Amino acid sequence: MIQKHITEQAAIFFSVTKWVFLSSMIGVLIGGTVTLFLKILAYSEVTRGILSFEFYYLLPFALIFSVWLTKTFAPSAEGHGTEKVISAVHKEDAKIKVSVIPIKTLTTVLTIFAGGSVGKEGPGAQIGAGVASLISSLLKFRKQDRKKLVICGISAGFATVFGTPIAGAIFGVEVLIIGVIMYDVLLPSFIAGFAAFTTAQFLGIEYTYYDLHFFQDVSLDLVLIAKVVFAGLVFGFVSDIVITAISHTHAFIKKIKVSMYLKAFVGGSLIVVLTLIFGEQYIGLGLDTIGHALSKNPAAYQDIHWYTFLLKTVFTSLSLGAGGSGGVITPIFYIGATSGNFLGSIISPEHITLFAALGFVSVVAATTNTPIASTIMAVELFGIDIAHYAALAAVISFLISGHRSIFSSQILAMRKSEMLRVKIGEEVENINISLEEYEQDKIARLKHRLKEKYKNKRRKK
């Protein structure tokens, strides 16, 4: 018995030591690589000023070039990044071609420089996963270890981009399978996230945090709790709109039987026209608008309207559907913060910033099916005071959005309602949903009773 115990403890000690070393190493490498990507991106945005015309006029040509680079050198770098990594983990034993790293960097910089409504976290996660896959190949890791290291790469990339090491670690292990957290990867993901985040800070990356404690009272309040529950429902429906718009736009554009380059040019031109009509606040990363939505100064969010989140959804759907390269979570932050700001102005004017922050994380929770990572992100970005409300809104919106996802390769491992019949283990894009038989019987009986009641009323007349 003692010998077995010693053997067990020795094996666990060896495993922990191994993954502490590997995840620390990979975290530092990814932190440095993604920092380079972020600095190139920041520099490209600064250099827009040298143009003698509006920078977004270049978008049709940037999309064409982005499509050509991706198609020619790294087809797996297409789209918003995280989706391709999830697919690689589930279908390709986490093998990611090294060409993805430079191509994803270049195409994302091109798209954002020219005003494409995309984000930087998807490329960050894909670059991180690409680095991890490369190291795994060089060291000839077995399949299971390579998968672990690539998941660490997702966590490290996410943590580096947003400055949220804990949420980044949880995101990496929560985003792959809906309803399951991969505990065997939790320790290396945490270490990789912290190592990457620390490396990025050391290399000069600065992050923005919004601590609500300093200017807003968010103490427990039963009326406010009821409003947060309602907000969670609204954010769930907003998330459903986002998922539907992005997926259907991509599918529609893909079905059009013309050259990919023509579709990129027309899509980019349409975004230029929409920008001339509605303004520049809907293109690019949109970080200024996010900051305004979360501001304590009412004057900062005067330009946020009920339709702001809808327009951002349209711009993002077109940018990705037309061949733009970049992430989808930063636009979702924008959509969540602006929809939350507007909702707060209606149901709780004294807590507008709180509802903007809740929208920020809840729409991400619902669209990506990561309520735990989103709740932790709320604490890291907005302070501990928001934790209980963020958890409530994030979980409700996660459930209300249904068995859908912005990442169609996620695998379903849970039902969001016992009334529904859903096949567990399928990818989100392939699942079929129907009511359980006993629920169908209930509905049939209810219809029959209503029909009989209606007939009886007519007889009496």
Side-chain angles (χ1 to χ4, degrees):
M1 183 67 72
I2 294 176
Q3 186 176 0
K4 286 183 179 180
H5 181 70
I6 292 173
T7 301
E8 178 191 17
Q9 294 301 311
I12 292 173
F13 176 79
F14 175 78
S15 179
V16 168
T17 304
K18 166 189 167 183
W19 283 106
V20 166
F21 173 75
L22 286 175
S23 54
S24 298
M25 176 188 69
I26 204 69
V28 170
L29 286 173
I30 291 171
T33 307
V34 176
T35 294
L36 177 61
F37 160 68
L38 294 176
K39 285 185 176 291
I40 293 172
L41 182 59
Y43 178 76
S44 72
E45 290 185 287
V46 171
T47 56
R48 286 172 178 166
I50 66 174
L51 297 174
S52 58
F53 50 87
E54 297 294 348
F55 66 92
Y56 50 83
Y57 290 156
L58 292 173
L59 186 57
F61 308 100
L63 292 182
I64 290 173
F65 192 33
S66 177
V67 168
W68 178 78
L69 284 170
T70 301
K71 185 179 179 181
T72 305
F73 301 104
S76 58
E78 179 190 6
H80 48 80
T82 309
E83 164 64 24
K84 295 295 183 181
V85 177
I86 295 172
S87 179
V89 171
H90 290 321
K91 300 175 183 177
E92 300 167 27
D93 295 332
K95 291 180 180 178
I96 299 171
K97 293 183 178 179
V98 69
S99 59
V100 165
I101 300 171
I103 296 302
K104 195 65 183 179
T105 299
L106 182 55
T107 54
T108 301
V109 170
L110 278 171
T111 302
I112 295 177
F113 171 81
S117 178
V118 296
K120 52 189 177 179
E121 85 301 319
Q126 195 168 18
I127 290 167
V131 171
S133 179
L134 174 62
I135 297 299
S136 299
S137 298
L138 291 174
L139 298 179
K140 301 187 184 304
F141 281 5
R142 58 194 179 97
K143 180 175 67 174
Q144 195 58 36
D145 283 351
R146 181 171 61 247
K147 280 189 175 183
K148 275 191 176 184
L149 210 61
V150 167
I151 294 169
C152 290
I154 300 172
S155 300
F158 195 88
T160 305
V161 171
F162 290 121
T164 53
I166 303 176
I170 298 295
F171 182 85
V173 299
E174 187 181 20
V175 75
L176 297 171
I177 305 174
I178 301 171
V180 171
I181 289 183
M182 304 172 71
Y183 285 101
D184 58 326
V185 200
L186 200 54
L187 174 64
S189 286
F190 272 127
I191 294 171
F194 275 113
F197 169 68
T198 304
T199 301
Q201 283 193 312
F202 177 77
L203 295 175
I205 298 295
E206 296 181 357
Y207 298 102
T208 302
Y209 301 98
Y210 311 87
D211 195 336
L212 303 187
H213 176 76
F214 293 107
F215 57 86
Q216 186 152 33
D217 176 22
V218 288
S219 55
L220 281 173
D221 178 340
L222 290 178
V223 175
L224 186 55
I225 289 173
K227 292 177 179 178
V228 170
V229 169
F230 175 73
L233 298 172
V234 172
F235 296 140
F237 292 122
V238 169
S239 303
D240 190 50
I241 292 171
V242 173
I243 295 169
T244 301
I246 292 178
S247 60
H248 284 207
T249 301
H250 181 267
F252 175 75
I253 293 175
K254 193 174 182 179
K255 286 180 181 177
I256 300 173
K257 302 297 183 182
V258 298
S259 164
M260 293 170 57
Y261 304 111
L262 179 59
K263 287 189 278 190
F265 183 82
V266 173
S269 299
L270 180 56
I271 294 171
V272 171
V273 172
L274 291 174
T275 303
L276 292 172
I277 296 171
F278 296 107
E280 296 181 20
Q281 72 182 90
Y282 302 101
I283 58 176
L285 292 170
L287 299 180
D288 288 342
T289 302
I290 294 173
H292 292 161
L294 294 164
S295 173
K296 62 181 178 180
N297 181 8
Y301 42 80
Q302 293 302 311
D303 292 332
I304 297 175
H305 310 287
W306 68 267
Y307 55 82
T308 297
F309 80 95
L310 293 173
L311 282 175
K312 185 63 174 178
T313 302
V314 171
F315 275 74
T316 303
S317 300
L318 285 172
S319 296
L320 291 169
S325 180
V328 72
I329 294 182
T330 305
I332 289 173
F333 285 156
Y334 181 117
I335 292 164
T338 54
S339 60
N341 181 284
F342 178 72
L343 179 65
S345 69
I346 296 174
I347 66 173
S348 189
E350 69 276 20
H351 292 109
I352 290 178
T353 307
L354 171 63
F355 282 91
L358 293 177
F360 185 102
V361 294
S362 297
V363 178
V364 169
T367 52
T368 64
N369 290 293
T370 55
I372 298 176
S374 299
T375 300
I376 294 172
M377 178 183 287
V379 175
E380 290 188 286
L381 290 177
F382 305 117
I384 192 66
D385 290 350
I386 198 178
H388 35 279
Y389 292 127
L392 188 60
V395 172
I396 290 173
S397 60
F398 157 72
L399 294 172
I400 290 296
S401 65
H403 301 85
R404 312 181 67 206
S405 176
I406 205 73
F407 305 134
S408 59
S409 293
Q410 281 184 318
I411 291 177
L412 188 69
M414 63 166 286
R415 293 187 300 172
K416 293 189 179 182
S417 171
E418 72 282 356
M419 296 170 63
L420 296 173
R421 184 189 302 163
V422 183
K423 188 175 181 181
I424 302 301
E426 292 280 346
E427 291 182 1
V428 170
E429 62 181 345
N430 297 326
I431 62 172
N432 293 311
I433 301 170
S434 61
L435 283 171
E436 288 283 10
E437 288 183 8
Y438 66 87
E439 294 295 339
Q440 293 179 14
D441 291 341
K442 279 184 183 178
I443 292 172
R445 287 196 297 270
L446 178 60
K447 284 182 178 178
H448 179 72
R449 283 198 298 268
L450 291 173
K451 191 174 181 180
E452 290 298 317
K453 193 174 181 181
Y454 176 72
K455 283 181 180 179
N456 291 333
K457 280 186 177 180
R458 290 197 66 180
R459 287 195 194 106
K460 288 179 181 179
K461 288 182 180 179

